[in-house]
Amino acid sequence: MKIALDAMGGDFGLSPLVDGAMQAAKELGDEIVLVGDQDKIQAHLDTIKGKKPSLSICHASQTVGMHELPASIARKKRDSSIWVATKLAKTGDVQAVVSAGHTGATMVSAFFLLGSIEGVERPAIAASLPTRQGNAVMLDVGATVDCTAQQLYQFGIMGSEYGKHFLEVARPRVGLLSIGEEDTKGNEVTKEAFRLLKASSVNFIGNIEGRDVYSGNADVIVCDGFLGNVALKISEGLADAIKKMLMKEIAESRLGRLSYLFIAGPLLRLRRRTDYAEFGGAPLLGVNGISMICHGRSSAKAIKNAICRAHKLADGGFVERLRTDIADGLKVTMSDTSVVVQP
């Protein structure tokens, strides 16, 4: 299998990207295609000693800056690393694309070049979250800010299928993020989405509140991209703040420093469970291909894990299974759902 990596994306230059690609190639036996400035990539590879796993370079003369508008990529940056990498997926030269660069550019490239699965109105980014019971998936976390009920319903179908692959659960529990557990809570869009999901074949457990996101009661959490992105960023900030406050308290007292010897193991395990690098990246669901979006600050470990997850999705025929799910889901419409929300 071949997987394309946007080698010009990311906040820390080539080093973590190439290192992550080498780790993934060694673990998977895949060929990783590094897409970007050939001279810069080759110069970096020349500095690495020892035997290198299966890596190749595909030249792209342009890069996408974080300040650039995503809509302009299709007009002005058709030789950018993310556009060229996605084009390789379109032509079948690679089976997946991974990028830690401009998220909007990644989505635009996937939308224009790969196209949407028939029946999918808007794509969704599916982020992985640690919970008290394991892991969960939240979508959307930024691809589609304003959603209709039908789009939220489609997110539920896509999230359920992705949950089967990522969580290895036969029937993932799907919850709709709202302001209350009752089916009468939420705005009109959320109420209508509730009706559609309840009438569908997914394992819908109803509304969940924000406090339940990390409880593990739901395997898949459905929301619009605005709410999901805000929730994700608040969670990242809170986790970082708690970690720093805890370490400050430990460091400022003799008893705290002594106790650290006994709690270091559990703290390290907790850190590992909440480390973004363990999840790697978030797939863009709803497009005709595997497009993995990574954090700009991704380490080599995060890139390696994102490539490994992209491999797993491609190898498992995820897109084909998603097409089937969406086709079946289209049988449930706004007009024929039998679930009635009481006023």
Side-chain angles (χ1 to χ4, degrees):
M1 184 180 296
K2 290 184 179 182
I3 297 175
L5 174 65
D6 175 8
M8 309 313 289
D11 297 344
F12 303 129
L14 281 167
S15 184
L17 302 174
V18 174
D19 290 349
M22 291 178 62
Q23 292 173 25
K26 183 178 180 180
E27 180 174 322
L28 298 170
D30 289 352
E31 178 181 338
I32 310 302
V33 183
L34 304 174
V35 184
D37 188 303
Q38 184 170 354
D39 292 339
K40 291 182 179 179
I41 296 172
Q42 188 59 58
H44 183 81
L45 290 174
D46 290 341
T47 65
I48 301 174
K49 297 180 181 180
K51 184 179 179 181
K52 302 178 184 66
S54 184
L55 301 176
S56 60
I57 302 173
C58 179
H59 181 65
S61 63
Q62 297 175 306
T63 59
V64 179
M66 297 306 293
H67 65 283
E68 297 186 62
L69 295 174
S72 67
I73 306 305
R75 300 192 305 271
K76 302 177 181 178
K77 292 293 182 76
R78 294 203 172 195
D79 200 40
S80 61
S81 53
I82 184 56
W83 187 273
V84 173
T86 309
K87 192 172 182 179
L88 290 174
K90 178 185 179 181
T91 57
D93 293 304
V94 300
Q95 283 67 59
V97 179
V98 177
S99 177
H102 195 303
T103 299
T106 302
M107 293 191 297
V108 167
S109 299
F111 181 79
F112 275 90
L113 291 171
L114 302 178
S116 299
I117 292 175
E118 185 176 357
V120 175
E121 297 178 7
R122 293 289 187 276
I125 302 173
S128 305
L129 305 173
T131 72
R132 295 204 303 264
Q133 299 181 35
N135 293 304
V137 175
M138 176 184 281
L139 72 164
D140 177 29
V141 295
T144 304
V145 175
D146 295 310
C147 295
T148 65
Q150 184 73 13
Q151 289 158 8
L152 290 175
Y153 163 65
Q154 292 170 6
F155 293 173
I157 296 174
M158 295 192 294
S160 178
E161 184 60 49
Y162 178 59
K164 295 174 187 177
H165 280 257
F166 170 58
L167 304 172
E168 298 181 349
V169 177
R171 279 180 55 77
R173 297 161 298 170
V174 178
L176 181 64
L177 191 58
S178 188
I179 59 173
E181 296 180 356
E182 301 85 357
D183 56 9
T184 56
K185 293 292 182 71
N187 56 25
E188 293 305 314
V189 171
T190 305
K191 293 176 184 177
E192 194 64 41
F194 183 102
R195 295 176 58 198
L196 290 170
L197 286 166
K198 190 169 183 179
S200 73
S201 61
V202 302
N203 185 15
F204 182 56
I205 62 171
N207 289 340
I208 66 167
E209 298 182 66
R211 64 187 177 190
D212 296 319
V213 167
Y214 293 94
S215 69
N217 294 333
D219 301 305
V220 177
I221 301 154
V222 176
C223 58
D224 63 58
F226 182 88
L227 181 59
N229 192 267
V230 170
L232 187 65
K233 297 294 175 60
I234 289 176
S235 300
E236 290 175 352
L238 179 61
D240 185 60
I242 290 175
K243 179 181 71 174
K244 290 179 179 178
M245 288 188 289
L246 178 60
M247 296 310 295
K248 183 174 183 291
E249 291 295 326
I250 291 174
E252 288 183 347
S253 72
R254 182 179 300 176
L255 183 60
R257 291 191 295 272
L258 180 62
S259 67
Y260 183 75
L261 297 174
F262 301 96
I263 63 173
L267 285 178
L268 287 174
R269 288 193 294 273
L270 177 62
R271 180 180 179 182
R272 191 177 299 115
R273 283 201 62 209
T274 58
D275 184 7
Y276 168 82
E278 295 291 334
F279 302 111
L284 181 64
L285 304 184
V287 295
N288 276 305
I290 306 299
S291 180
M292 192 71 67
I293 297 173
C294 304
H295 204 294
R297 295 176 292 171
S298 290
S299 62
K301 181 180 181 180
I303 295 299
K304 187 265 288 188
N305 285 334
I307 294 173
C308 289
R309 185 172 308 179
H311 169 101
K312 185 176 180 180
L313 290 174
D315 189 53
F318 174 73
V319 175
E320 289 73 20
R321 291 176 62 172
L322 195 55
R323 286 196 191 99
T324 300
D325 290 345
I326 292 296
D328 292 342
L330 287 175
K331 298 173 184 177
V332 178
T333 65
M334 295 286 192
S335 59
D336 65 16
T337 179
S338 59
V339 180
V340 178
V341 178
Q342 298 297 326

